[in-house]
Amino acid sequence: MKRSWWTRFIFLLLFTCLSIAAILPTIFDFNENNNNYFISSKINLGLDLQGGLYMVLGIDFKKVYKDEVATYAKKIVDLLGDYETKAEIGKLDLADPLDPKHTINLLDPNKLKQAVDQIKKSFPGLLRITGENAGEIQFALSNVLKTQIEEQSVTKSIEVIRNRIDEFGVTEPEIVSQGNDRIVVALPGVKDIEQAKSLIGKTAQLTFRVVNDNVGLGEINTWLTKAKEAGIEYKKGEKFSNYLDKLNSFLKDDLPKGFSLAFKKTLSRLNNSVENMEPFVLNNDVKLTGDLLQDAFTTFGQEGMPIVSLSFKTRGSKVFEELTGNNIGKRLAIVLDGNVYSAPSIRSRISGNAQIELGRGNTQQILKEARELAMVLRAGALPVQLDFLEQRTVGPSLGHDSIEKARLASIIGCALVFIFICFYYKISGFIALTTLALNVLFILAALVGLEATLTLPGIAGIALTIGMAVDANIIVYERIREEVRKGVGNYKAVENGFAQAFWTVLDANFTTAMAGICLINFGTGPIRGFAVTLLIGIAATVYTSYFVGKMLFELYMNKVEGEDLSI
């Protein structure tokens, strides 16, 4: 055999051994947290395969709009007061609950036009004036603002719920929006509904903690590497607070006295898993908490960039003034549920209302960040009130039955396909069977490597992939047969057969892959799971059906040189 063949064979051998090693913990059900095997991950099963908890949470936007318009009424009275136009908060009109209106009463009716102009100037695009009378201004939220509230409420609620679910220790939670007013939470393996509801609906802890910037990122990374070598590393499915406790306990002699580590987590858009953790060294002495905050809202600074304005209660104002006065030049971390949300710099002593600048750049992006931050600060908990509309446990019998039926169907289907291939293509059929077996092995190993979740649609994706792999083998083999019938020699027939089939196989898989990419980008939950297994399967199909199949054919021809091909 040529040197290039041995190179490809060694690569295949290594890849196969690694794949077998990757799926052994799944096959023998190793304990992920208590074994010495070098691979601890297993294939995660979705809610439909292992059972668990399924909940639908609804957002009451009637209440959200009512609270929002009431908040703006107070802001308008304060705004007009700054321009020497005395006003009072008037009636709230709830005739249309989805479009509540509020009235502002001016003490001097002659300043009506001046007041209306000031409101339009201060809240452009956010409010609309729905009525003007002598001394009365009626306003409502603009459609643009209501749309932003809906989008941000759902997005931030998912993020907050995700942080809380991390405390539950669920390996693969699924938290997705359903329409614009519902959130679906699926927790595989969880059975206790009341505990889950309590965890999701609890009041969050909002704290303000000073960042120790004297500790550089390089030193922090050295600590984290040291902890990792000691086996302290955040693993998917572990309670994040447990990880933090273990980490800070391990590093207590390295950390400055009175300080501890916390992280700002960035979640993956693909599967909501933690893809980045930015470390912060925070002061343990918490002087300011969320219960001293009165309000937070988005406005624009002197340079026209969006900022977040804060107002504190009387005691909170004193604490905040003292806190900022003693820490000028440092950063103040906003910590929600133990996770760092933002860490703006303190430029001067701040008394009364405070402002958080989010830097410069794309105005729309910064405005979006400012609104999300204001929403988190204002609520100190979930951005909106969530009602539990539906909750049920999916029994393990459903998953078990599904697995057994899928296993039986797979055995029957594979047996029929294998018998047909061996009967129709003879010895060459065994080469096809080898490539199909490697195909399935590589798909399962990739699921372990990517820490993807296997669901029933995912199994359907694997079945579809096997069908496509069989189809690719048939295309190649029929091309070889055509060459043999022309009287071409065996080596040339195999070479021409693979060459002529290459673009057909690639084209069919490429178009299917495009559909899979669209499903990943626009689908959610089981649809995305189906797309993930489909894309993995397509890559494995092209490699095994074409490249591995060609390599095995070269070995076969070398062994039967001078004889007819068994195909």
Side-chain angles (χ1 to χ4, degrees):
M1 301 303 296
K2 296 179 180 177
R3 178 178 295 180
S4 63
W5 187 91
W6 282 108
T7 302
R8 286 178 285 153
F9 177 74
I10 291 172
F11 176 78
L12 173 65
L13 189 63
L14 291 175
F15 200 37
T16 303
C17 291
L18 187 61
S19 298
I20 292 173
I23 66 170
L24 282 181
T26 303
I27 295 174
F28 295 104
D29 195 21
F30 288 175
N31 187 329
E32 293 186 42
N33 300 320
N34 187 25
N35 74 80
N36 296 321
Y37 193 63
F38 71 104
I39 296 176
S40 58
S41 300
K42 296 193 293 187
I43 296 177
N44 300 310
L45 300 182
L47 184 70
D48 49 1
L49 291 181
Q50 69 165 316
L53 186 60
Y54 177 89
M55 295 185 291
V56 179
L57 293 83
I59 300 173
D60 184 1
F61 280 110
K62 295 177 183 176
K63 183 178 183 305
V64 175
Y65 295 151
K66 174 187 167 185
D67 294 342
E68 195 71 17
V69 79
T71 301
Y72 271 102
K74 183 178 181 306
K75 291 178 187 175
I76 290 173
V77 170
D78 292 341
L79 171 75
L80 296 180
D82 293 341
Y83 289 90
E84 299 180 350
T85 302
K86 294 183 178 180
E88 296 175 343
I89 297 176
K91 294 183 297 183
L92 177 63
D93 181 1
L94 294 175
D96 182 357
L98 290 175
D99 189 24
K101 301 175 180 64
H102 220 303
T103 302
I104 301 296
N105 298 324
L106 302 179
L107 301 186
D108 183 358
N110 295 325
K111 293 188 176 181
L112 178 64
K113 185 175 184 307
Q114 177 187 340
V116 170
D117 291 342
Q118 195 59 49
I119 292 172
K120 290 180 178 178
K121 180 181 177 183
S122 301
F123 305 104
L126 301 178
L127 304 177
R128 67 182 202 275
I129 303 298
T130 55
E132 299 177 29
N133 256 325
E136 279 190 3
I137 302 173
Q138 188 186 56
F139 72 94
L141 306 178
S142 70
N143 291 330
V144 173
L145 179 58
K146 287 195 283 189
T147 302
Q148 291 173 350
I149 290 172
E150 291 172 7
E151 293 175 349
Q152 291 166 7
S153 297
V154 172
T155 303
K156 290 312 300 174
S157 293
I158 289 176
E159 186 176 330
V160 173
I161 290 173
R162 170 71 207 202
N163 285 333
R164 295 180 182 182
I165 293 299
D166 280 348
E167 291 301 299
F168 215 104
V170 179
T171 306
E172 280 295 329
E174 181 184 329
I175 307 161
V176 297
S177 60
Q178 186 181 71
N180 61 358
D181 62 349
R182 295 190 178 192
I183 296 173
V184 174
V185 180
L187 306 177
V190 176
K191 304 292 186 299
D192 193 334
I193 290 180
E194 294 306 319
Q195 187 183 3
K197 288 172 67 176
S198 173
L199 187 68
I200 292 174
K202 73 175 184 179
T203 301
Q205 290 185 334
L206 177 65
T207 57
F208 296 81
R209 298 171 61 182
V210 176
V211 180
N212 186 338
D213 287 316
N214 294 326
V215 181
L217 184 59
E219 189 172 0
I220 297 176
N221 287 332
T222 302
W223 295 343
L224 295 177
T225 303
K226 177 182 172 184
K228 187 176 180 180
E229 290 173 351
I232 301 175
E233 184 180 15
Y234 177 62
K235 299 173 183 174
K236 185 188 289 187
E238 182 184 6
K239 288 186 177 182
F240 196 76
S241 58
N242 286 353
Y243 163 69
L244 273 183
D245 290 342
K246 286 191 289 184
L247 182 65
N248 283 306
S249 175
F250 178 76
L251 298 174
K252 62 182 179 183
D253 294 331
D254 298 293
L255 286 163
K257 190 175 180 180
F259 289 83
S260 60
L261 277 175
F263 294 89
K264 180 180 180 182
K265 294 189 290 186
T266 304
L267 301 180
S268 166
R269 293 187 60 187
L270 180 63
N271 55 14
N272 272 336
S273 62
V274 178
E275 64 178 12
N276 184 48
M277 299 197 303
E278 182 183 357
F280 292 85
V281 179
L282 303 182
N283 196 329
N284 293 334
D285 185 13
V286 179
K287 297 183 181 299
L288 187 61
T289 57
D291 58 338
L292 298 178
L293 182 69
Q294 186 172 50
D295 196 7
F297 55 91
T298 307
T299 183
F300 290 86
Q302 294 180 348
E303 297 180 0
M305 297 304 293
I307 59 175
V308 178
S309 288
L310 309 177
S311 62
F312 291 93
K313 298 173 184 175
T314 305
R315 180 166 166 267
S317 295
K318 293 178 182 177
V319 174
F320 191 66
E321 182 178 359
E322 182 181 342
L323 183 65
T324 53
N326 294 336
N327 296 283
I328 295 174
K330 298 179 180 177
R331 288 186 292 167
L332 186 64
I334 300 168
V335 184
L336 186 69
D337 280 338
N339 299 294
V340 177
Y341 191 86
S342 180
S345 299
I346 303 172
R347 295 183 179 177
S348 61
R349 174 186 289 272
I350 304 172
S351 58
N353 295 337
Q355 293 180 340
I356 299 176
E357 297 180 1
L358 301 178
R360 299 181 179 182
N362 186 296
T363 304
Q364 290 301 319
Q365 181 63 31
I366 294 176
L367 181 61
K368 181 181 178 183
E369 293 176 11
R371 285 172 176 160
E372 290 179 355
L373 179 57
M375 189 178 293
V376 170
L377 290 168
R378 191 165 56 239
L382 287 167
V384 292
Q385 178 69 41
L386 293 175
D387 299 321
F388 290 89
L389 303 179
E390 179 185 351
Q391 57 265 339
R392 66 174 186 267
T393 55
V394 180
S397 59
L398 175 61
H400 180 72
D401 289 347
S402 301
I403 291 175
E404 289 303 315
K405 290 178 181 177
R407 182 178 298 167
L408 179 62
S410 301
I411 292 173
I412 295 173
C414 289
L416 292 175
V417 171
F418 289 176
I419 291 171
F420 170 77
I421 290 178
C422 292
F423 173 76
Y424 196 70
Y425 290 112
K426 304 172 185 174
I427 293 178
S428 300
F430 286 97
I431 295 177
L433 293 185
T434 305
T435 60
L436 289 176
L438 290 173
N439 193 342
V440 175
L441 174 66
F442 294 157
I443 292 173
L444 296 178
L447 289 175
V448 175
L450 295 175
E451 298 185 342
T453 302
L454 182 62
T455 60
L456 280 177
I459 293 176
I462 294 176
L464 178 59
T465 300
I466 300 300
M468 293 174 63
V470 172
D471 185 53
N473 279 300
I474 290 174
I475 292 173
V476 172
Y477 289 5
E478 291 304 317
R479 292 286 185 273
I480 294 175
R481 277 183 163 184
E482 289 175 1
E483 294 297 313
V484 171
R485 290 192 196 103
K486 292 178 184 175
V488 178
N490 290 345
Y491 279 98
K492 195 65 179 175
V494 170
E495 185 178 344
N496 289 346
F498 274 95
Q500 292 172 12
F502 177 73
W503 289 110
T504 304
V505 173
L506 189 65
D507 179 61
N509 284 278
F510 178 77
T511 51
T512 308
M514 291 297 101
I517 291 172
C518 291
L519 290 177
I520 278 189
N521 276 289
F522 302 110
T524 57
I527 296 176
R528 186 172 286 178
F530 170 79
V532 169
T533 53
L534 181 64
L535 289 175
I536 294 172
I538 288 172
T541 296
V542 173
Y543 174 64
T544 56
S545 299
Y546 187 82
F547 296 101
V548 176
K550 188 176 181 182
M551 187 182 69
L552 295 179
F553 253 104
E554 290 173 3
L555 176 64
Y556 168 56
M557 290 187 297
N558 187 57
K559 298 294 182 186
V560 296
E561 191 170 2
E563 301 177 13
D564 292 338
L565 277 177
S566 177
I567 187 169

